[in-house]
Amino acid sequence: MVKQKRKWSLTRKIITVLISVLLVFTIAVAGVSYYFFTVAEVRADKAFISGKSIAKGQPLYAEQQTWLHYPTQTWNLTAKDGTKLVGNYVAATKKTNKTVIVIHGFGVDHVAMAPYGTMFHEMGYNVLMPDNRAAGKSGGKYIGFGYLEAKDYLEWINQVIARNGQQSQIVVMGASLGGATTMTLSGMNPPKQVKAYIEDAGYSSTYDELYHEAADLYGIPLPIAKPIVHVVSWYSNLIAGYSYEQATAVNYLQHNTRPMMFIHGAKDDFVPTKFVYRNYKATKGPKTLYVVPRAAHVASYATNYQQYEQKVAKFLNQYFH
């Protein structure tokens, strides 16, 4: 009997220790995951993000300044969840029904895409460059990793059609998170006026991108990163209203049948180059792939601006006249 009591007492101690360890581990994962949720989604200056604007003397500085001196109209939009969004519209020099919507990336605002606005304007397009939700002059507290933004851009597309007419021909172009937004939007059955897409440096999956960043920025190995990121997704669903399963661009591409151009830097270590091959394979429409040698993240245009413009123009000329 005494031995049984001792054995039971030891068992209880082991169980108590295991429960305590499990509880501490759960609290630690919950705390770390909430921290990463705030880093990933809550509106704030992201110190690890560069390229918010181009300094004098750098490639594409002149194109940036040209855009900033165009006569710009301010467009406003209220998203379906009530978020107030602001867009910057520059009409083409010669009246046209061709419009490009340019989508910026994570942790920046539309100014980061100013050279692209100049490029499209010089090609003869009307250009609309909004600030994403939780960026620039737009409202919103949470970044949507392409999912919430894609739903917003469906509304921007509708506004272009309402203002410029049913005969509008629209191309959607985005870089990084903007690229993921573009790909996600392509699978959401946008209006028929959207004729083509261009995505530059977009990630296939929010999960995969955050696994990569956990390792690259924090040194967290994949077996530990996976449960943390899944809890981050749970926080996102609870607080921001979407899960990372919903923010998986490659899944939406499987529903796209319209033309898409895929661009990526061969030396991209922020959104690894391997993602572009998954994306390219997934889409069901006509497609073009352009991988730029030596180019880092969202640096394909700056690395070889003449060839970049030629490739983009060649792609668009197949679908816009």
Side-chain angles (χ1 to χ4, degrees), residues 80-308:
K80 289 187 175 179
D81 64 358
T83 303
K84 305 293 185 182
L85 305 173
V86 177
N88 306 272
Y89 180 83
V90 175
T93 303
K94 183 179 178 180
K95 189 172 182 180
T96 181
N97 61 4
K98 300 187 301 182
T99 301
V100 60
I101 300 174
V102 182
I103 309 174
H104 68 79
F106 180 92
V108 297
D109 61 23
H110 79 280
V111 175
M113 298 298 289
Y116 302 84
T118 299
M119 175 181 69
F120 288 116
H121 186 263
E122 291 180 349
M123 289 180 184
Y125 288 80
N126 305 311
V127 182
L128 174 63
M129 294 211 304
D131 286 335
N132 295 347
R133 60 172 52 227
K137 293 182 179 179
S138 289
K141 186 175 181 180
Y142 303 110
I143 296 165
F145 274 105
Y147 175 71
L148 297 181
E149 290 84 359
K151 295 199 293 183
D152 294 338
Y153 279 93
L154 287 173
E155 298 304 310
W156 281 119
I157 290 166
N158 288 332
Q159 187 167 147
V160 169
I161 296 167
R163 286 173 176 256
N164 291 357
Q166 290 295 319
Q167 299 305 310
S168 292
Q169 298 181 64
I170 299 170
V171 55
V172 179
M173 186 272 173
S176 195
L177 181 146
T181 302
T182 300
M183 292 185 284
T184 300
L185 183 152
S186 76
M188 290 183 168
N189 192 30
K192 64 182 181 180
Q193 287 83 356
V194 178
K195 303 300 182 183
Y197 307 94
I198 301 172
E199 80 83 20
D200 186 333
Y203 43 85
S204 303
S205 156
T206 300
Y207 276 124
D208 288 342
E209 176 61 16
L210 292 184
Y211 295 155
H212 170 73
E213 292 308 320
D216 190 53
L217 295 178
Y218 299 96
I220 302 173
L222 186 60
I224 297 175
K226 277 192 171 183
I228 292 174
V229 173
H230 278 268
V231 177
V232 174
S233 176
W234 180 85
Y235 278 122
S236 179
N237 197 34
L238 180 68
I239 300 171
Y242 74 100
S243 70
Y244 292 164
E245 284 81 4
Q246 293 171 289
T248 302
V250 73
N251 292 344
Y252 294 91
L253 283 172
Q254 295 172 13
H255 301 284
N256 173 53
T257 59
R258 303 181 207 185
M260 184 172 293
M261 182 178 188
F262 297 86
I263 303 171
H264 219 102
K267 297 296 184 180
D268 192 337
D269 58 8
F270 191 79
V271 176
T273 309
K274 64 183 179 181
F275 289 162
V276 75
Y277 300 106
R278 298 179 194 170
N279 297 335
Y280 180 79
K281 183 179 179 180
T283 192
K284 304 304 181 186
K287 51 192 173 182
T288 298
L289 176 63
Y290 175 38
V291 177
V292 181
R294 302 182 305 279
H297 186 59
V298 195
S300 294
Y301 188 14
T303 299
N304 194 336
Y305 71 91
Q306 289 182 329
Q307 188 179 76
Y308 191 102

